[in-house]
């Protein structure tokens, strides 16, 4: 894996990760695991009272597999920064494809680094998250 | 007639910092989070695997920073201490998440008691005031190793229009 990173150039695609379909059980368990108890994600009565059709998925549940595209490939220890932007609401049942691509190789403070673009797309649906990761090469 | 919006964030809080309750990082909580998000890397559940990867022990995955933030806030609420969302005037009825950025300076280790500081960086608005944004930063710190992570996030209000 480190040889792959050492030689990685712009255009290289990282191995994709599939996540889901996201079930109501996963939302309930993620609420407990993450500490985000917002009822909009787990209580359909609350969601309907708030004018929604249904509960929707926590942003950070979706962010995790997208970030994992970068850490599975580069290793947690090489991850310097990662950012996530939430583009659309994700419904229960969504299956996601999380992808990453090396966009740039650059040097900062004497260290070679890669800028990786990340995205997550709902199967037969829109791109729900976008993001970026900066990893060190060494 | 131009639309006007009722501002909710208290913009005088820019530059403020709250020392939030510290959070004890536990193996079980790390394992629970990993099981739901599909993270199977053994450095998050197995001491030997973590050491083989160069860490002193089991480490948390990146989004564990949310657990620290949420639980520190819950402890603050239980103690009757002001949370950062209360400080800035956050209103859950109108609130959306914007960008979330994680900056890593080190690792979060099972067994750590991590300090949490909540900072109000500043405020912006968009769409003629229909959206107002608060830029917040959570600094997560190990007493032994220094700052391990920073989380920069933008919290957005979709503001109610003032009836004219």
């Amino acid at each position: 894996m480190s040889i792959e990173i050492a030689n990685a150039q712009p255009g290289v695609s990282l191995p994709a990760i599939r996540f889901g379909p996201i079930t109501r059980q996963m939302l309930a368990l993620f609420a407990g695991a993450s500490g985000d108890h917002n009822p909009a994600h787990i209580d359909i009565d609350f969601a309907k009272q708030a004018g929604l059709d249904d509960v929707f998925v926590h942003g950070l549940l979706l962010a995790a597999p997208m970030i994992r595209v970068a850490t599975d490939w580069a290793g947690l220890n090489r991850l310097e920064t990662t950012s996530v932007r939430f583009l659309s609401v994700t419904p229960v049942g969504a299956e996601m494809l999380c992808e990453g691509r090396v966009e740039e190789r650059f040097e900062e403070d004497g260290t070679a680094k890669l800028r990786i673009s990340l995205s997550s797309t709902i199967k037969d649906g829109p791109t729900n998250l976008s993001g970026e990761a900066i990893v060190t090469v060494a | 007639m131009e639309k006007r919006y009722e501002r909710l964030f208290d913009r005088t809080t820019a530059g403020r910092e709250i020392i939030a309750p510290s959070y004890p990082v536990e193996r079980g909580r790390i394992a629970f989070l990993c099981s739901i998000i599909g993270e199977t890397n053994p450095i998050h559940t197995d001491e030997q695997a973590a050491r083989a990867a160069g860490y002193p022990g089991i480490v948390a995955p990146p989004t564990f920073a949310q657990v620290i933030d949420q639980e520190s806030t819950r402890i603050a609420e239980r103690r009757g201490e002001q949370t950062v969302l209360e400080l800035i005037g956050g209103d859950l009825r109108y609130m959306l998440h914007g960008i979330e950025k994680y900056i890593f300076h080190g690792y979060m280790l099972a067994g750590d008691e991590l300090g949490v500081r909540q900072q109000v960086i500043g405020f912006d608005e968009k769409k003629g005031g229909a959206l107002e944004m608060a830029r917040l930063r959570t600094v997560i710190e190990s007493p032994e190793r220094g700052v391990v992570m920073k989380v920069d996030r933008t919290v957005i209000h979709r503001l109610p229009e003032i009836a004219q």
Side-chain angles (χ1 to χ4, degrees):
Chain A
M1 188 176 29
S2 57
I3 296 170
E4 219 183 301
I5 296 168
N7 296 335
Q9 292 297 329
V12 164
S13 284
L14 278 57
I17 289 177
R18 291 185 188 279
F19 190 71
I22 298 175
T23 63
R24 292 176 198 277
Q25 184 190 37
M26 286 167 72
L27 296 183
L29 290 171
F30 185 75
S34 67
D36 180 356
H37 299 176
N38 186 344
H41 303 302
I42 47 176
D43 185 338
I44 194 168
D45 301 322
F46 176 90
K48 286 188 171 168
Q49 276 181 342
L52 304 168
D53 290 331
D54 199 351
V55 298
F56 60 98
V57 184
H58 308 72
L60 285 192
L61 173 55
L62 303 165
M66 191 177 79
I67 293 169
R68 204 152 41 85
V69 170
T71 56
D72 276 1
W73 185 72
L76 178 66
N77 59 310
R78 287 196 187 80
L79 185 62
E80 271 205 347
T81 71
T82 183
S83 60
V84 181
R85 184 187 290 254
F86 304 102
L87 301 175
S88 61
V89 169
T90 301
V92 178
E95 279 181 67
M96 288 154 44
L97 180 67
C98 303
E99 298 174 286
R101 189 177 63 213
V102 176
E103 299 292 346
E104 194 191 342
R105 188 184 175 101
F106 62 100
E107 202 168 284
E108 196 175 57
D109 304 325
T111 307
K113 298 181 185 181
L114 301 172
R115 185 169 62 81
I116 296 165
S117 63
L118 299 169
S119 69
S120 165
T121 309
I122 299 173
K123 187 176 175 186
D124 304 323
T127 301
N128 56 344
L129 276 81
S130 70
E132 194 175 88
I134 307 286
V135 304
T136 56
V137 169
Chain B
M1 195 172 180
E2 207 178 281
K3 291 181 185 176
R4 287 175 57 237
Y5 301 90
E6 178 194 350
R7 283 183 174 184
L8 297 172
F9 286 136
D10 176 359
R11 301 186 184 205
T12 68
T13 60
R16 292 275 304 271
E17 178 179 272
I18 290 178
I19 310 292
S22 63
Y23 177 71
V25 178
E26 298 166 318
R27 293 179 58 159
R29 191 63 181 263
I30 293 174
F32 185 15
L33 182 70
C34 289
S35 71
I36 309 308
I37 63 176
E39 174 61 84
T40 57
N41 191 323
I43 64 173
H44 303 301
T45 48
D46 184 276
E47 184 92 15
Q48 274 189 318
R51 287 180 196 274
Y55 296 104
I58 287 169
V59 290
T63 55
F64 197 82
Q66 186 201 16
V67 176
I68 296 173
D69 190 18
Q70 293 281 350
E71 296 299 345
S72 167
T73 300
R74 212 185 315 284
I75 296 168
E77 286 165 351
R78 203 153 55 220
R79 291 180 185 167
E81 292 169 10
Q82 189 181 49
T83 66
V84 72
L85 285 185
E86 285 166 355
L87 175 69
I88 66 174
D91 190 326
L92 288 179
R93 294 173 297 170
Y94 305 106
M95 200 176 284
L96 292 174
H97 277 269
I99 296 179
E100 191 117 351
K101 181 173 178 178
Y102 297 92
I103 304 155
F104 300 90
H105 299 278
Y107 46 85
M108 299 173 280
L109 192 62
D112 272 344
E113 176 104 18
L114 295 177
V116 181
R117 283 182 282 135
Q118 302 283 12
Q119 298 173 341
V120 183
I121 305 299
F123 298 92
D124 303 299
E125 60 184 49
K126 274 188 187 171
K127 299 194 177 171
L131 296 178
E132 59 170 4
M133 288 96 81
R135 286 175 283 116
L136 306 175
R137 170 172 286 175
T138 305
V139 180
I140 298 170
E141 206 160 12
S142 152
E144 297 87 23
R145 305 187 306 276
V147 173
V148 297
M149 264 196 85
K150 293 192 265 240
V151 183
D152 282 353
R153 60 196 171 106
T154 304
V155 164
I156 303 169
H157 278 154
R158 257 187 314 210
L159 292 176
E161 214 177 305
I162 299 173
Q164 298 178 82

